[in-house]
Amino acid sequence: MADTDLLAYRGAQPEEIEEDRISPPTVGQLTWWRFRRSKPAIVAGVLLILAYIVAVFAGFFAPYHVVTTHSKFPAVGPNGIHFRDAEGNFRAPFVYGYSSKLDPATFQRVSITDTSVMYPVRFFAKGDEYVLVGSIKSDIHLFTVDDPGKVFLIGTDNLGRDLFSRIIYGARISLTVGLVGVFLSLIIGSVIGVAAGYYGGTFDNVAMRIVEVLNAFPNIPLWMALAAALPANMDSIKVYFGITIVLSFIGWGGLARQIRAKVLSLRESDFVMAAHVSNCSDWRIVRHHLLPNTLSHIIVSATLAIPGMILGETTLSFLGLGIKPPMTSWGLLLSEAQATRVLLQQPWLLWPIVPVMLTAIAYNLLGDGLRDAADPFAT
Amino acid sequence: MLRYIGHRVLSAIPTLMIIVILGFVVMELPPGDYATYHMMELLAQGNEGAREEAEALRIRYGMDRPAYERFFIWITHFVQGDFGDSFAYRKPVRELIGQNLLMTMVVSLLSLMIAWAIGVPIGIYSATHQYSLGDNFFTMVAFFGVGVPGFLLALVLLVVGTKWFGFVPAGLFSAEFENAPWSLAKFVDLLKHLWIPCLIVGVTQTAGLMRTMRGNLLDVLRMPYMQTARAKGLKETIVTWKYGVRNAIHPLIMSLGMSLPSLVSGATVTAIVLNLPVMGPIYLQAVRQQDIYLGGTMLILITVMLVIGNLLADLLLAVVDPRIRFE
């Protein structure tokens, strides 16, 4: 193929084509070039990668440990980082002195910022001890403030735990619950979808009826009923997996249906026929001919299914049916903000909404970009 | 037409049966039953006779019988219109959910109307003004709308409303009308409260509708018959509405049935946050307390509503698109 033909592939930039290349670009390259054209999807992808990095190294990025209670500072507002002092001079980042006491007249907590005391923000400094990736012990934090100074970027909860740190730790659950849930639905969905599409007959009929019934159930009431079925005294790691199983209970249906439709059309194609004639086993046909061809669609639908599951976990935890303490998730953090009275006094408890929203939007944008890229031969 | 309706209704029956069975099984899944829940509650209060009371409760409501036996007793009564008794309220389920069911339907339907009233015109605008400033703006809003579940919106609204407007957007009635019999004043009061939850549930649905309408209409706008219509001198509004929108809207009607489950789901949690007298909060409590006949009946009624909604959507589609024949 001549170079001019290569340029005709949409999205192909001249600099990517080396002078001496003779072979046309691979499907992978075409997909990547096409994906790169969608700027929002790139931004979303980068954002998500950053979010997962923060979640994995939560202990490092959070100024305090998830369970550290600052007993003198329950339910206090933000004590943020400043760059200008009271006289208006710029200086290295610092926080003001901070104290909290009960207003004797209203019995409400009021926090007092003392602008005469300044504590410098220290980067890569020692703080609470934490365990990284399951085994490495460390006490280095990205940023922290020496005692008795405190840095509460967005305030604390009722027990005096830093909300910002808790959101970062909560990301570990909230961000992975969707991935694990989608992974589970993907396995169930592909097995049933491929089997139904490839073999057809009674199995296909029964499987598709089940999927229809599952689709007819409204998600959240069904999730609620299933989540309530998890025993109350389970330890938190089991609760976590229980919730992912509950979330994937509905998700597999849609995936199975899409994969089945794809397999049905591929089954009649010439290359599958050729494989049959060359005496390939069913397993080999499924693995080498059917699955790779459905893969792009599977990835796209999986990506688009993740935000629904993340929001599902948030909803369940918000209602008190999901993740249980000592584990933390964004939904669980939000459940503390449920009462109107609490919300009015501590509006900063609503902060976990922001990461929930950003993640959901990012996954939707990413899925949207992937969908356009999944079929690189379409115009 | 009648044959088609009959066929559709008959084919919905097996689905409904599976739904009823699955609904019961799901409610039966939690270990223990309401009696155990009640016993724990009494024990927590330091009540000595908890065990005996739970046992009495179990015998009175037949909770000691095997699950399949209870299911058959319940289901034979269910089809006769007797939905069983709620353990927690000690009242027939029927009495409990009558008004709630009505309110749930009112909220869902109003939300649906709001979603369509906002989503479809914006979708049409976006398609006819593709890549304009307005279109890009609405695209961004749509992604935002997909990302935010209704109950979070409700939470934010609670704070904003109470803090800056001195108005608590919760409940469906003012305090003085809460238990009052129906009257004109109560109805007006209801209308004053109703629009907030409907708007919240509706707005979360709008984003999807907007995007679908835009995509469909964009496809239709490229059709040669659109060019023909313009060439023969029709006004642009007629070209857009009669030739474009009419052909672009039927995938939306088809998705009407599919959007009902998410509408009910959205309404469930939003209702819990805003403390509305609809099925959501009662359902959550029933699920927690293992009040199986109450919870099971609700799950089934919600699903039945959806199946009926799907049927209606199919019929509506046949009315809008005369190419669809009743086979």
Side-chain angles (χ1 to χ4, degrees):
Chain A
M1 205 182 275
D3 275 1
T4 45
D5 286 341
L6 289 178
L7 286 175
Y9 281 105
R10 297 190 62 180
Q13 303 291 323
E15 69 262 26
E16 272 135 18
I17 298 155
E18 293 151 34
E19 293 279 323
D20 55 347
R21 181 190 285 160
I22 329 151
S23 57
T26 62
V27 177
Q29 275 171 318
L30 282 172
T31 310
W32 169 241
W33 290 343
R34 206 154 221 249
F35 177 70
R36 228 178 38 176
R37 277 167 59 204
S38 145
K39 291 276 173 318
I42 297 277
V43 174
V46 172
L47 201 79
L48 284 173
I49 291 171
L50 287 179
Y52 279 98
I53 291 175
V54 169
V56 168
F57 302 105
F60 170 71
F61 286 100
Y64 300 105
H65 196 271
V66 61
V67 289
T68 308
T69 53
H70 308 273
S71 49
K72 283 182 188 154
F73 300 93
V76 294
N79 183 32
I81 295 173
H82 296 265
F83 295 94
R84 289 175 76 162
D85 61 21
E87 283 105 54
N89 304 320
F90 283 98
R91 45 189 301 158
F94 66 93
V95 295
Y96 284 123
Y98 200 59
S99 58
S100 160
K101 64 169 190 177
L102 215 55
D103 185 331
T106 59
F107 281 102
Q108 285 187 6
R109 284 244 158 227
V110 280
S111 36
I112 304 141
T113 311
D114 181 3
T115 50
S116 62
V117 196
M118 286 178 273
Y119 300 99
V121 175
R122 298 167 59 102
F123 294 93
F124 301 101
K126 283 183 193 296
D128 294 337
E129 217 172 74
Y130 58 89
V131 181
L132 213 56
V133 217
S135 54
I136 312 159
K137 273 197 182 141
S138 170
D139 57 357
I140 306 294
H141 293 258
L142 177 63
F143 68 94
T144 185
V145 173
D146 287 338
D147 273 335
K150 299 278 181 198
V151 55
F152 302 130
L153 284 186
I154 50 177
T156 66
D157 66 4
N158 283 330
L159 296 174
R161 294 174 294 193
D162 179 34
L163 196 57
F164 180 73
S165 303
R166 285 178 70 74
I167 288 180
I168 287 184
Y169 274 91
R172 298 209 282 203
I173 305 291
S174 291
L175 287 178
T176 53
V177 106
L179 282 189
V180 180
V182 162
F183 183 70
L184 283 178
S185 355
L186 213 64
I187 293 175
I188 308 171
S190 332
V191 169
I192 292 181
V194 168
Y198 191 70
Y199 294 110
T202 322
F203 179 77
D204 183 27
N205 252 327
V206 173
M208 286 307 111
R209 287 299 86 71
I210 294 173
V211 170
E212 256 166 43
V213 171
L214 277 181
N215 278 349
F217 269 107
N219 287 3
I220 288 174
L222 187 58
W223 275 340
M224 278 157 71
L226 288 172
L230 302 174
N233 50 4
M234 272 198 328
D235 61 60
S236 46
I237 198 84
K238 276 189 193 151
V239 169
Y240 173 80
F241 284 110
I243 293 294
T244 56
I245 291 169
V246 167
L247 290 175
S248 49
F249 189 79
I250 298 175
W252 70 266
L255 282 169
R257 205 178 189 140
Q258 286 171 14
I259 294 166
R260 169 185 171 272
K262 200 83 184 132
V263 168
L264 264 184
S265 67
L266 285 172
R267 195 176 60 173
E268 308 300 328
S269 61
D270 291 343
F271 61 85
V272 172
M273 178 86 80
H276 266 299
V277 173
S278 349
N279 205 14
C280 287
S281 65
D282 282 354
W283 174 236
R284 191 185 159 84
I285 292 177
V286 166
R287 249 188 51 198
H288 289 274
H289 300 282
L290 296 180
L291 272 184
N293 272 299
T294 52
L295 200 64
S296 62
H297 281 258
I298 293 177
I299 291 172
V300 172
S301 5
T303 314
L304 288 170
I306 294 173
M309 292 200 178
I310 290 179
L311 295 180
E313 183 274 325
T314 308
T315 312
L316 287 180
S317 301
F318 177 77
L319 295 175
L321 292 168
I323 301 296
K324 294 189 170 63
M327 272 192 168
T328 312
S329 79
W330 294 336
L332 196 62
L333 289 176
L334 277 173
S335 70
E336 288 165 21
Q338 219 169 10
T340 323
R341 190 183 47 77
V342 177
L343 268 183
L344 289 177
Q345 287 168 18
Q346 298 153 248
W348 56 86
L349 286 181
L350 283 179
W351 268 104
I353 289 182
V354 175
V356 170
M357 252 168 46
L358 283 180
T359 325
I361 294 172
Y363 264 117
N364 275 313
L365 288 174
L366 184 72
D368 222 45
L370 282 177
R371 179 164 44 197
D372 291 342
D375 195 359
F377 297 106
T379 45
Chain B
M1 184 86 181
L2 277 176
R3 266 194 68 177
Y4 175 75
I5 297 175
H7 181 77
R8 278 302 314 265
V9 171
L10 282 180
S11 67
I13 289 176
T15 316
L16 280 178
M17 272 165 62
I18 303 176
I19 285 171
V20 171
I21 294 171
L22 204 66
F24 188 83
V25 169
V26 165
M27 290 302 292
E28 273 285 324
L29 271 180
D33 49 24
Y34 175 72
T36 15
Y37 174 86
H38 190 63
M39 189 176 81
M40 293 309 224
E41 213 175 29
L42 288 178
L43 282 177
Q45 290 164 2
N47 197 322
E48 289 297 318
R51 231 162 274 278
E52 288 73 36
E53 199 178 323
E55 208 44 53
L57 201 68
R58 196 167 277 147
I59 288 164
R60 184 180 153 201
Y61 284 110
M63 282 183 261
D64 49 345
R65 297 195 201 183
Y68 64 89
E69 216 176 303
R70 274 179 293 135
F71 175 72
F72 280 113
I73 296 172
W74 180 58
I75 204 67
T76 38
H77 285 94
F78 190 91
V79 289
Q80 292 162 10
D82 172 13
F83 302 153
D85 282 5
S86 157
F87 306 141
Y89 294 89
R90 312 276 155 89
K91 262 186 187 172
V93 170
R94 211 191 152 101
E95 263 175 49
L96 277 167
I97 57 177
Q99 201 183 355
N100 288 304
L101 188 64
L102 182 77
M103 281 300 164
T104 310
M105 281 167 77
V106 168
V107 171
S108 301
L109 284 178
L110 274 179
S111 320
L112 193 67
M113 280 156 72
I114 291 176
W116 274 64
I118 303 175
V120 171
I122 295 182
I124 295 171
Y125 172 84
S126 283
T128 48
H129 299 76
Q130 201 188 2
Y131 301 132
S132 68
L133 192 69
D135 178 33
N136 284 333
F137 171 74
F138 287 126
T139 304
M140 268 172 55
V141 173
F143 273 110
F144 190 76
V146 173
V148 191
F151 76 95
L152 294 185
L153 210 63
L155 268 182
V156 175
L157 203 77
L158 267 178
V159 176
V160 172
T162 322
K163 205 154 192 174
W164 285 289
F165 298 101
F167 168 72
V168 184
L172 275 187
F173 302 103
S174 304
E176 67 262 36
F177 290 113
E178 190 81 57
N179 295 315
W182 280 101
S183 65
L184 192 66
K186 182 172 176 172
F187 185 67
V188 173
D189 186 62
L190 171 69
L191 289 184
K192 273 187 203 156
H193 286 79
L194 199 57
W195 65 274
I196 299 164
C198 291
L199 199 65
I200 292 174
V201 180
V203 161
T204 46
Q205 290 290 310
T206 307
L209 273 172
M210 215 153 93
R211 295 303 288 172
T212 327
M213 186 68 215
R214 180 180 179 272
N216 293 337
L217 190 54
L218 277 177
D219 285 344
V220 172
L221 286 178
R222 285 192 209 112
M223 292 287 168
Y225 59 77
M226 295 296 286
Q227 214 165 1
T228 314
R230 282 200 196 94
K232 68 182 186 184
L234 289 178
K235 270 191 270 175
E236 193 58 35
T237 42
I238 292 184
V239 175
T240 312
W241 285 91
K242 218 173 161 187
Y243 287 67
V245 175
R246 182 148 185 204
N247 280 306
I249 207 157
H250 56 250
L252 274 192
I253 296 174
M254 233 186 307
S255 75
L256 195 66
M258 299 294 277
S259 75
L260 280 171
S262 50
L263 206 66
V264 173
S265 293
T268 307
V269 192
T270 310
I272 293 166
V273 173
L274 292 179
N275 193 20
L276 305 179
V278 294
M279 280 162 65
I282 302 179
Y283 177 72
L284 177 67
Q285 208 191 357
V287 161
R288 280 217 176 111
Q289 298 180 337
Q290 301 180 17
D291 200 347
I292 51 168
Y293 299 136
L294 182 59
T297 305
M298 284 179 146
L299 194 57
I300 289 165
L301 284 183
I302 294 174
T303 322
V304 167
M305 268 163 58
L306 300 178
V307 171
I308 294 173
N310 266 328
L311 184 65
L312 288 179
D314 278 356
L315 292 177
L316 190 64
L317 189 66
V319 173
V320 173
D321 189 351
R323 283 172 300 185
I324 291 175
R325 294 271 168 273
F326 301 114
E327 302 283 331

